[in-house]
Amino acid sequence: MNDSPGWASPGSSPSEGAGGQAGQGGTGGQGTPEGIQPPAQPAADSKWSDAQPPPGQWSSPGAQAPAPTDAAPPQQPQGGWGSYGPQPGQPGQPGQAPQYGSPYGGQYGYPGGPAGPWGPPPAAKPGVIPLRPLGLGELLDGAVSTMRTHWRSVLSVSLVVGVLIEVGNVLINKFALADLTTASATGEDPEQVFRGIRDAVVPVLANGFLQLVLGILASALLTVIYSRAVIGRQITLGEAWREARPRLLPLAGLTVLLAAGAVVLFAALLLPGVLMKSIGVAVLGFLVSVPLFVWLWFRFLLASPALMLERAGIFTALKRSDKLVKGSWWRIFGITLLTGFITGIVSMVIAVPFTLLAVLSGVGDLSGFTDGSFAVSWSFLLISGIGSIISFTVILPISAGITVLLYIDQRIRREALDLELARAAGLQHYGSAGAGYGG
């Protein structure tokens, strides 16, 4: 018999002691002399008779069978895992099903939790996620639920950032890259192409800097909003700004440091091939730098939420991310990659119809395709820009939310953050008697 809490031995006989005694006193056994028939035993003393009582009415071996009555048979207890053996603490009543939470009880086998009919009871869920380790579906559901329940704050951030980024892209494509696009498409003098590239460097760098600043701002605000959504607290955009503002400079420093590290990594591995003028060495350096960059990127993926939510410094946030990701790199990599694939499909579904409409509206005749002028027309830029804004508004909160929820999930798994989140959400006595998922 398995005496572990909440489990019984499947398929056990009504009484294990009865089975052992019956096996020793049977006819023809080693204890009976040859040629001598044992005396017949009275029917009342038989351990197992031909006429078995109805299911669920087994009595202790040797006890007198109960008198038949017209009353309905007793109801089998509901819940638990079924009649697979005696309930823990009651070895003489094999007809009763074990209750999953009683007498041991508790969430996932811990004391103090309610019983469940098919498994452990659900974890506490004060906000958009349950307070326990999360799966991929729960991570995606938490990100989408935050967009739905806190849409004013979430969509305001992503919409404003998306509009500003797309305005910068439209202006760059219309005024800085229009001549370059036309010259490249018509095959004009290479000197003119290089001149166009030189003239476009400053506007492109300025637009890249604008996108970097807006990305940092959006990341900071969305991290604060998601951290409140986890414990079921509403937060306005103004409150999120006041809380995120002191962390903007450290977050900018972290972003610049990671970008500079990526540049140094690629330069260090590609520069030998460039200096040696060897294509083979350069290709080898590139093949080494790409997986190393990916490994480091996901190693420090959780540094941004650690910096925002733990009020940590830049290098402390990097160390925290390294600690939280260690041992779970492949899981985080797979979840992030699959999330990127899903959001990419959603982005295409939204943006492709606008792009097709923009192409049809920007091409007056076939010459627009040959010289590339349709790609810099106002109609094409504006219509495709609207599609990009809508796509960005939907995709940005999901991508940022997955990162924040992965950070919270890793801390729940490693540091029992669910206890602190439960207290912040106002859940009374959470985890006091082993209830809840402690890590």
Side-chain angles (χ1 to χ4, degrees), residues 20 37 51 69 75 96 127 176 193 210-211 222 247 299 307 315 324 360 381:
Q37 298 295 329
T69 61
Q75 296 293 329
Q96 295 188 9
V193 175
L210 174 64
Q211 293 186 17
L222 290 175
R247 309 302 301 165
R299 198 75 178 179
L307 182 141
F315 294 100
L324 293 173
L360 295 177
L381 293 175

Side-chain angles (χ1 to χ4, degrees), residues 15 46 49 65 86 100 111 144 156 162 165 170 178 203 210 217 231 251 261 278 282 311 316 329 344 349 390 422:
S15 176
S46 176
S49 62
Y100 187 77
V144 175
S156 296
I165 289 178
V170 168
L210 174 64
L217 178 62
I231 58 176
L251 183 60
S278 173
R311 299 294 192 266
T316 303
W329 190 94
V349 170
I390 297 175

Side-chain angles (χ1 to χ4, degrees), residues 279-315:
I279 297 179
V281 176
V283 171
L284 179 61
F286 178 78
L287 294 178
V288 173
S289 62
V290 170
L292 184 57
F293 169 77
V294 172
W295 181 77
L296 290 173
W297 177 266
F298 285 97
R299 198 75 178 179
F300 300 125
L301 180 67
L302 306 182
S304 175
L307 182 141
M308 289 294 302
L309 300 179
E310 298 181 26
R311 299 294 192 266
I314 295 176
F315 294 100

Side-chain angles (χ1 to χ4, degrees), residues 356-365 368 373-375 377-380 383:
L356 294 177
L357 181 61
V359 170
L360 295 177
S361 64
V363 178
D365 50 33
S373 60
F374 80 96
S377 63
W378 279 113
S379 59
F380 178 86
I383 296 176

